Amino acid sequence: MLHFNNSTPLTLGVELELMILNRRDYNLTRGSDDLLLLIDRQPHGYDIKPEITQGMIEIGTAIHQGSDTMLQELQGIRTLLVSSAQKLNLGLAGGGSHPFQHWSEQQIYPKERYQLVSELYGYLAKQFTVYGQHIHIGCPDGDSAIRLSHYLARYIPHFIALSASSPFYQGMDTLFQTSRLTSVNAFPLSGCMPCVENWTQFNAYFQHMAGLGIVASMKDFYWDIRPKPEYGTVEIRICDTPLDIVTPTLLAAYAQMLAHRCLEDGWHDIQAAHYHTYNYNRFQACRFGFDGVLVDGAAGQQIGLQEDLLSTLNALQPQARALNCEKELSLLRERALKRQSDSQWLRAIYRASGSLSEVVRRQSEHWMYGSTA
């Protein structure tokens, strides 16, 4: 049986996967071990660890009541990382995918779970050298976590458009706003959670899958949204890693406002029919970002993604007041009105420079120093 460790409702945490770069041409480099070794020579108390390949590192925040303290912690983590990276002549960057790295050149990190993933999934494990933000939202119990997971599925295209930062992949402009999710889609247990209605039903589903030998733990599910019973959270896994450290906190605030509305209203409209258009809407957000067109299957109509996002943000004003995140709501609305995305910024740099190395240099400077210079 999976036990759900109840947590304080609406508390927040984020995880960010970051690129490790050489400072010559800004390709990925196998720097995670050296970087972690240097970081751990001093006591810091932060959650910083390796990821599946050696050109990646993951940082995670503590539990927060709101985005203000989360940003303060991310600033502290960044200061530590930048100081250590500079000593090793390494660069660090956000972004959902490295623009010109080749997956065949990546090395799996020597950790048992990653080695098992590589043995099972073959080349897909190295292709999984992509970079995402995960958002954790505290839930009072397992039933609430199931309800919230289904509720948030409706808003997944918004998170995709707001975080999109991977227009280039393997040296090419993909024409997508986010190309990262195509690497996730290749895994057989990706997509969305089955339409279970409560924690008892979810446990039965998990036991069935485990009994068939398909999964051993919750980590084997690569769903866009999943319960995280050991943390007592729902985890949103759809976002690209943004190019800065402010955007992750805005995305977390958006998730918190939506969760507040779901849990306070007692929402329980769980239907398989809601997922009929899920993959189509997800594709629209990945391909076109704010210019995507979403389909409301229940209403039988289409609506622009930007319009739908702005309408949702306007309706969340009571939740923003209750959570003291009206500033974050305003910043999200401003970005949606301007169709402001990291992917557009990266493409503009490439148009001006004609160099993907220059693109990565600029995004590295932006993450490390908060500069676009």
Side-chain angles (χ1 to χ4, degrees):
M1 295 287 289
L2 287 170
H3 175 69
F4 190 90
N5 291 321
N6 304 342
S7 64
T8 304
L10 305 179
T11 47
L12 293 172
V14 299
E15 299 161 337
L16 300 171
E17 296 159 341
L18 301 171
M19 305 178 197
I20 304 175
L21 310 161
N22 72 53
R23 300 291 292 273
R24 186 182 68 259
D25 65 356
Y26 286 86
N27 200 350
L28 293 180
T29 190
R30 301 169 195 171
S32 56
D33 268 342
D34 290 342
L35 187 57
L36 287 167
L37 184 64
L38 185 57
I39 287 169
D40 290 339
R41 285 180 180 173
Q42 53 187 309
H44 55 76
Y46 295 129
D47 181 13
I48 305 172
K49 55 194 175 187
E51 250 298 337
I52 190 167
T53 58
Q54 295 180 31
M56 309 175 68
I57 198 168
E58 180 183 284
I59 62 175
T61 70
I63 300 168
H64 292 274
Q65 299 291 331
S67 60
D68 282 347
T69 56
M70 178 185 291
L71 179 57
Q72 292 171 14
E73 184 182 10
L74 286 174
Q75 288 169 335
I77 295 173
R78 181 176 67 176
T79 297
L80 174 63
L81 283 174
V82 169
S83 173
S84 300
Q86 287 175 331
K87 293 174 183 175
L88 296 168
N89 198 30
L90 295 173
L92 299 168
S97 66
H98 187 279
F100 61 88
Q101 64 89 15
H102 292 286
W103 66 263
S104 60
E105 297 172 356
Q106 306 312 313
Q107 292 295 315
I108 300 296
Y109 191 85
K111 183 178 177 181
E112 182 180 7
R113 171 165 174 77
Y114 297 147
Q115 296 293 337
L116 290 173
V117 169
S118 180
E119 291 172 10
L120 176 60
Y121 291 115
Y123 82 106
L124 294 181
K126 289 187 177 182
Q127 281 201 327
F128 208 38
T129 305
V130 290
Y131 304 82
Q133 172 182 351
H134 300 171
I135 305 167
H136 289 267
I137 311 162
C139 292
D141 52 66
D143 288 349
S144 297
I146 295 302
R147 290 194 293 113
L148 181 57
S149 295
H150 289 304
Y151 181 82
L152 290 170
R154 154 76 175 79
Y155 303 99
I156 280 302
H158 299 175
F159 285 94
I160 294 173
L162 287 165
S163 69
S165 61
S166 52
F168 302 107
Y169 187 66
Q170 302 284 294
M172 299 292 293
D173 188 330
T174 64
L175 302 184
F176 277 59
Q177 298 305 305
T178 169
S179 64
R180 166 182 158 270
L181 290 174
T182 58
S183 296
V184 181
N185 295 346
F187 288 82
L189 298 175
S190 61
C192 52
M193 185 179 74
C195 203
V196 295
E197 295 188 10
N198 52 51
W199 192 249
T200 299
Q201 288 184 14
F202 185 85
N203 247 314
Y205 169 79
F206 178 83
Q207 290 175 16
H208 179 63
M209 295 291 280
L212 294 172
I214 296 174
V215 300
S217 75
M218 284 296 299
K219 289 183 178 181
D220 295 321
F221 294 116
Y222 291 81
W223 298 330
D224 296 342
I225 311 170
R226 70 183 182 190
K228 192 74 170 176
E230 62 268 39
Y231 293 167
T233 64
V234 164
E235 180 185 17
I236 303 172
R237 301 163 47 83
I238 201 74
C239 301
D240 283 0
T241 296
L243 299 184
D244 60 78
I245 61 171
V246 174
T247 302
T249 67
L250 299 182
L251 295 168
Y254 186 39
Q256 188 182 40
M257 287 183 278
L258 289 170
H260 186 286
R261 185 167 69 178
C262 171
L263 298 179
E264 289 294 311
D265 291 353
W267 181 90
H268 204 286
D269 186 21
I270 301 171
Q271 300 180 42
H274 292 327
Y275 286 95
H276 291 174
T277 59
Y278 181 88
N279 286 332
Y280 178 81
N281 290 341
R282 186 178 184 271
F283 163 79
Q284 283 284 316
C286 291
R287 174 66 177 85
F288 301 108
F290 293 116
D291 294 327
V293 177
L294 307 181
V295 175
D296 183 338
Q301 62 186 21
Q302 296 184 349
I303 186 172
L305 190 153
Q306 183 199 37
E307 179 185 353
D308 189 57
L309 172 57
L310 287 169
S311 174
T312 303
L313 292 172
N314 289 335
L316 287 174
Q317 289 180 3
Q319 287 73 30
R321 285 193 294 271
L323 294 166
N324 195 30
C325 55
E326 293 172 288
K327 177 185 68 175
E328 289 82 356
L329 183 69
S330 177
L331 289 171
L332 287 165
R333 186 186 293 113
E334 180 182 344
R335 292 186 181 205
L337 283 167
K338 294 179 178 179
R339 290 182 163 88
Q340 179 183 338
S341 78
D342 287 342
S343 284
Q344 290 178 327
W345 187 78
L346 293 169
R347 283 191 168 108
I349 294 171
Y350 183 69
R351 285 195 300 269
S353 68
S355 167
L356 288 177
S357 289
E358 176 62 11
V359 169
V360 186
R361 185 193 73 81
R362 292 278 294 277
Q363 72 186 83
S364 177
E365 293 287 310
H366 191 44
W367 193 89
M368 295 176 72
Y369 310 113
S371 169
T372 59

